[in-house]
Amino acid sequence: MSHDALPAMTDVPATCNVLLLGTGGREHAIAWKLRQSPRLGTLWVQSDANAGLAALGRRCDAPLSPRERFFLKSWLDKNDIHLVVVGPEGPLSEGIVDDLAAPNRRIFGPTREGARLEFDKSYAKTVMRLASVPTADGRSFSNYEQARTYVEARDTPLVIKASGLCAGKGVIVCEDREEALAALARIMGSREFGDAGSTVVIEERLSGQEISVLALVDGKTITVLDPCQDHKQVGEGDVGPNTGGMGSYCPTPLATDAIMEEVSRDVLVSTVDALRREGIEFRGVLYAGMMLTAGGPRVLEFNTRFGDPETQPLMARLQGDLVEILWRTAGGELDGNELSFDPRSACCVVVCSEGYPGKVRPGQVIEGLETAAKVAGPGEDVIIFHAGTAKDPQGNTVTTGGRVVSVTALAADLRRAQELANLAASRIRFPGAFFRRDIGHRVLAAAGRNPANAPGRG
Ligand code: AMP
Ligand code: GLY
């Protein structure tokens, strides 16, 4: 079903009951911002939510599996839910937005056809090619032998990507042909990522700074949010294996006005228009993972949801009523609604469990959560967003996963925001806790070399 099939909607309800799906730091940040809205009625969160998120909403215990949509729809009706906000890509790829559509509620997120931009990288490359969106040269293969032959004929560095969803793990950046063949063997030979690797995208390897450009799209109108930079590698100085994200900051001065103009026009508008030509009205978040190459900005990937940990600094800085913003996006009514952001810089530092991104030992008691935010000085703020936390039977907050909390600091400039986030993060203690102290280092180092380029306010 397309969003078009829905009848015209009424204005934002004065008291809007919201169900928020997803249980990570991203969702805690969204819930924190929703709670500031005077229009928020009851906020419902997933029953297995993290401790921070759970404290902000009531638990929805309806089943979420795609086969049990009837029960979830009955639950939405019974609880008079006006707006469902879908955080993660999994339910989007299962078509939850199509399934839950009804005249009496709005669902924030793209339909399954729109979400395909994220869950099918091969399709995303086709859309980009048709729309002349700047991206790495690449080809898709569903046949292992043909993929091998292609790799063997190439002598420039390649990136091998499983086409399907792999929780950020299905991309292998290779130095040479041997590595590329080994990557192909992992994805298509031993099926390390299961069916997600039945098709691969093989791309030229690009180099440059990476930025995340997220936009709210209501089908026609595109509102670009302030640009962020994520830090995916586990170690300081960007070394070690990739993670779900060790920290981020917003805004990033790497994305100049000219770059944002180009990304907006050549990537976001072109892609949304190309989808429209195919009869797909995209509503929700369109997130372009960009690399700023010497030849200009290039798309590395699309996501069709808010990023994690980009959402934490974005929500910390977003001004205005999030209930209304998400409601209007979901209903195709963004036009004329400008967004504004706090002029301060936000830096988010993710405190992780020992062993992450590998195996971790959950159940560690976390201390310092209540006091960590107190390090903020006048005109500054620190917000502790939970991700992998839960309450144990004794009432302690304990770790449940690799990424435990995302400490987000707001300050006059990035340098101070980083310092403040690090200070607060160091007050959150549990056995094996670690975090990167260098979030934002690429621009801070450049600013150090040339004070005229110091990353300052907004
Ligand atoms: P993706 O999930 O496609 O964004 O890929 C994950 C990470 O792999 C990106 O954040 C980049 O660091 C890297 N990557 C992806 N595609 C390329 C590419 N064509 N060239 C260089 N690095 C890439
Ligand atoms: N921050 C990367 C992602 O959300 O996919």
Side-chain angles (χ1 to χ4, degrees), residues 345 347 375-378 380 409-423 444:
S345 273
C347 181
V375 297
E380 299 175 336
L410 284 156
D413 59 40
L414 175 59
R415 191 175 301 283
R416 175 62 187 156
Q418 185 210 61
E419 185 179 63
L420 199 54
N422 287 345
L423 192 59
L444 291 174

Side-chain angles (χ1 to χ4, degrees), residues 225-228 249-257 260 313 317 319 340-347 410-415 417 453-458:
L225 309 183
D226 276 3
C228 306
Y249 67 92
C250 174
T252 175
L254 294 168
T256 59
D257 288 350
M260 289 303 280
R317 296 187 57 243
Q319 292 174 329
S340 58
F341 286 88
D342 189 319
R344 293 176 294 173
S345 273
C347 181
L410 284 156
D413 59 40
L414 175 59
R415 191 175 301 283
N453 292 337
R457 302 164 71 96

Side-chain angles (χ1 to χ4, degrees), residues 270-283:
S270 297
T271 302
V272 170
D273 283 352
L275 292 179
R276 275 177 80 82
R277 286 195 295 276
E278 300 296 310
I280 300 168
E281 184 167 289
F282 188 97
R283 291 189 189 171

